[in-house]
Every structure is written in C-alpha cells, then in structure tokens.
C-alpha cells in the first residue's frame, strides 16, 4: 500500500464507481493524496474535489489523453491543469465527439459480424460518461455474445481486433503543449503498453516536452519499476505512480493504492507539482 495514487478512473469515463465513491474508497484504504484521471473529461473532478475535502484528502486535478504516435497508442496523464479554461474544454468536447462517431462505427462492424447491438443501450450504459470500448464490451456481455468484458476485448475490441476503430486524436506533441498551455504537467502513462521496447517512444515524447514517466504502476514488479526509474533519472524526468483503477476487477488489475509506490517517491512527485505551481483540491472541476 501507498499514500498516493495518481491514476484513477470514475464513472465520468469508463470507471465503475462515481467520483465521490472512488475518493471515499481511497480514504478508507489509507491514501492521503490522489488524482482522478478520467479519459478526455474533467467532468468528475468537481464531485471528487468535494469528496476529497470532506475526507481530508489531497486531490490533484488530472486527465488521461490518448494520442497517436504512428501505430502506437500513447496515453498521457495531465496533472494540475486549469480545468476551467475554455480552449481545454473545447478540445475535450472534440475528443468526446470523436468517441461518439467511433462507437457508431464499432456497432456497425459488430452488426456485420452478426452481433447487432442497440446503440442507445451502449449510450445508456455509458450514462454521463465519455463513451468508450468498455461500455460496448458490457453491451456485448449483456446480449450474451461474449462471456466477459475481457473476452470482448480479446476477440473484438482490443487494439488491432476487428472492431477496433480509430478516432481523431492529437499528435502527442500537440497534446503535451495543450496540457502545458493550461498550466499542467505531462506524465507518460504505462509505457509498457506502448511497445516491448518503449524507450524510443519515451525519447521522442521527452523531446516534445513530457515532464515525467509513470513509474510505479499497477502490478509492476521491482525490476520493471527500476527500469522506468532509471530511465527517468537518466533523462531528468520526474516519476509518478498510479493503479489505473477502473473497478472492473480484471485479472491484472489492482485496487486503489495497491501499487509499488514508496511514500518518499509520492512526496517527491508532489514536490515536483508544487515546484511548478500546481494547485490542488480545486473545487472548480470544470464541466463536461
Ligand atoms: P477507449 O478509451 O474507448 O479506447 O477504451 C480504453 C479502455 O478500454 C482502457 O482504459 C481499458 O479500460 C480498456 N481496454 C483497452 N484494451 C483492453 C484490453 N485489451 N483488455 C481489457 N481492457 C482493455
Ligand atoms: Zn479507462
Ligand atoms: Fe491508459
Ligand atoms: Fe487509465
């Protein structure tokens, strides 16, 4: 267990639990510092901030952005951005629009494979959230086309599978600039998902201004953490840590705070944010 977890999802995107519940669970598990990092939305932050205040937790405003680097899907975590800023919210609205179009296309492809879905059911499952593949997966399970969400990804929705559809994204350099322009810092999320040899991508992202690397992630073993940590030290990058909690209970998932993130490394991460003038526990969560 750790005192900090800076990669959490809520029902504002594809997490299972509402922001207030995620914050409460974090507090119950003994965490002191957290970031909610929903995909393409800051819509959960106001509720999270209120809950964090009530629970006496420090909340760093966060976001997770998907970007394309060639064929690789690069996820970037933005911390401490000014979520009330209009250009940021316009960009996020454009990203969510792209997700709607993509979902329509995914449903078409699934129908071509004899798995018709009622698209309004997919949107109903997503509710107020930024709609994503996990919501389609749930609809597939519900209709009995697959046995589990994981199976839906393994056969149909996962990267490179038949119903994996692209959507418009920013190149990483532009996403990094977008976060910087709004006062935030950019950390490269879960590098191991980029490629087995992820260092060339990290080199490139560092050149484009990324500030740090997510080093203390989910189920990483000591050796993996050390590899990331040494890369960061070698290149003058900061390090962050998070569980990428969605509440789905998939095999490799971890609970909130169940990550290899030493307390002194948590403090170091927070010190980096502070040095950059990042304010935390912002009540104005912006609206999505
Ligand atoms: P989206 O944002 O719609 O592209 O969906 C991305 C989300 O889908 C991730 O945050 C994961 O929760 C989930 N996901 C992506 N790939 C897989 C996979 N291969 N297996 C299980 N879940 C996945
Ligand atoms: Zn997600
Ligand atoms: Fe991610
Ligand atoms: Fe994530």
């Amino acid at each position: 267990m750790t005192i900090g977890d800076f990669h959490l999802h809520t029902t504002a995107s594809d997490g299972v639990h509402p922001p207030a519940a995620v914050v409460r669970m974090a507090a119950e598990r003994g965490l002191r510092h957290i970031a909610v990092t929903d995909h393409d939305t800051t819509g959960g932050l106001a509720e999270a901030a209120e809950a964090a205040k009530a629970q006496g937790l420090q909340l760093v405003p966060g976001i997770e952005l998907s970007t394309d680097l060639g064929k690789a899907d690069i996820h970037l975590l933005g911390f401490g951005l000014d979520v009330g800023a209009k250009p940021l919210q316009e960009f996020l609205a454009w990203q969510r629009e792209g997700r709607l179009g993509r979902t329509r296309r995914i449903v078409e492809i699934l129908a071509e494979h004899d798995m018709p879905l009622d698209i309004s059911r997919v949107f109903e499952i997503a509710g107020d959230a930024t709609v994503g593949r996990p919501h389609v997966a749930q609809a597939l399970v519900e209709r009995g086309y697959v046995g589990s969400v994981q199976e839906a990804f393994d056969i149909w929705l996962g990267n490179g599978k038949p119903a994996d559809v692209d959507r418009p994204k920013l190149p990483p350099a532009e996403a990094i600039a977008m976060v910087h322009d709004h006062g935030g810092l950019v950390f490269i999320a879960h590098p191991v998902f980029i490629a087995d040899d992820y260092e060339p991508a990290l080199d490139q992202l560092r050149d484009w201004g990324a500030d740090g690397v997510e080093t203390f992630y989910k189920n990483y073993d000591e050796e993996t953490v050390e590899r990331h940590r040494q890369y960061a030290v070698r290149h003058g990058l900061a390090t962050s840590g998070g569980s990428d909690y969605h509440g789905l209970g998939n095999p490799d998932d971890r609970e909130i705070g169940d990550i290899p993130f030493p307390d002194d490394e948590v403090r170091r991460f927070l010190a980096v944010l502070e040095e950059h003038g990042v304010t935390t526990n912002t009540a104005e969560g912006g609206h999505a």
Side-chain angles (χ1 to χ4, degrees):
M1 279 302 294
T2 173
I3 56 167
D5 188 332
F6 304 97
H7 191 159
L8 301 170
H9 294 275
T10 77
T11 47
S13 65
D14 54 0
V16 168
H17 304 289
V22 168
V23 172
R24 201 173 49 243
M25 285 188 279
E28 281 165 10
R29 295 178 60 80
L31 277 100
R32 307 293 307 148
H33 319 274
I34 59 169
V36 164
T37 54
D38 277 307
H39 302 276
D40 299 328
T41 182
T42 59
L45 294 182
E47 182 183 318
E50 201 177 313
K53 204 169 153 199
Q55 304 280 345
L57 252 69
Q58 182 183 21
L59 178 82
V60 177
I63 194 141
E64 183 169 15
L65 300 173
S66 310
T67 67
D68 281 332
L69 179 61
K71 276 197 179 329
D73 186 13
I74 310 271
H75 290 188
L76 300 172
L77 295 166
F79 293 118
L81 359 68
D82 171 16
V83 299
K86 200 166 167 226
L88 175 70
Q89 291 303 333
E90 282 170 354
F91 160 68
L92 296 177
W94 171 68
Q95 286 289 283
R96 292 192 297 269
E97 196 58 40
R99 286 173 168 277
L100 291 178
R102 176 182 66 156
T103 303
R104 290 190 194 99
R105 183 69 198 121
I106 289 175
V107 168
E108 279 173 16
I109 293 173
L110 292 171
E112 287 160 16
H113 287 87
D114 299 320
M115 292 177 289
L117 287 175
D118 189 350
I119 194 159
S120 61
R121 180 57 194 144
V122 176
F123 292 141
E124 200 173 274
I125 290 170
D128 291 334
T130 48
V131 66
R133 287 177 285 169
H135 303 118
V136 180
Q138 269 175 265
L140 286 170
V141 173
E142 199 173 84
R143 289 293 306 268
Y145 297 136
V146 292
S148 66
V149 165
Q150 190 56 56
E151 193 185 321
F153 274 97
D154 291 346
I155 304 177
W156 300 107
L157 301 169
N159 295 348
K161 302 297 173 189
D164 170 34
V165 176
D166 271 346
R167 60 188 174 87
K169 292 178 202 141
L170 284 187
E174 285 177 39
I176 291 168
M178 167 77 65
V179 173
H180 284 166
D181 286 350
H182 292 89
L185 291 178
V186 177
F187 284 66
I188 304 155
H190 43 63
V192 295
F193 294 155
I194 299 173
D196 289 339
D197 180 17
Y198 52 76
E199 291 205 3
L202 296 193
D203 292 343
Q204 183 74 81
L205 293 161
R206 179 173 49 86
D207 282 347
W208 286 328
D211 304 286
V213 180
E214 189 174 47
T215 296
F216 309 95
Y217 182 70
K218 203 152 99 169
N219 56 350
Y220 281 2
D221 59 19
E222 248 171 74
E223 190 198 327
T224 308
V225 166
E226 199 46 31
R227 202 153 23 99
H228 287 73
R229 215 184 54 76
Q230 284 181 8
Y231 179 91
V233 168
R234 220 164 44 237
H235 296 96
L237 293 172
T239 54
S240 71
S243 61
D244 208 354
Y245 179 76
H246 285 76
L248 288 162
N250 284 330
D252 289 337
D253 287 357
R254 288 291 179 273
E255 294 301 313
I256 299 171
D258 182 15
I259 50 175
F261 197 8
D263 293 356
D264 59 328
E265 295 285 359
V266 173
R267 292 190 196 98
R268 197 172 310 206
F269 167 73
L270 290 168
V272 169
L273 293 189
E274 211 163 292
E275 262 167 45
H276 283 79
V278 164
T279 49
T280 54
N281 278 23
T282 40
E284 67 275 20
H287 196 69

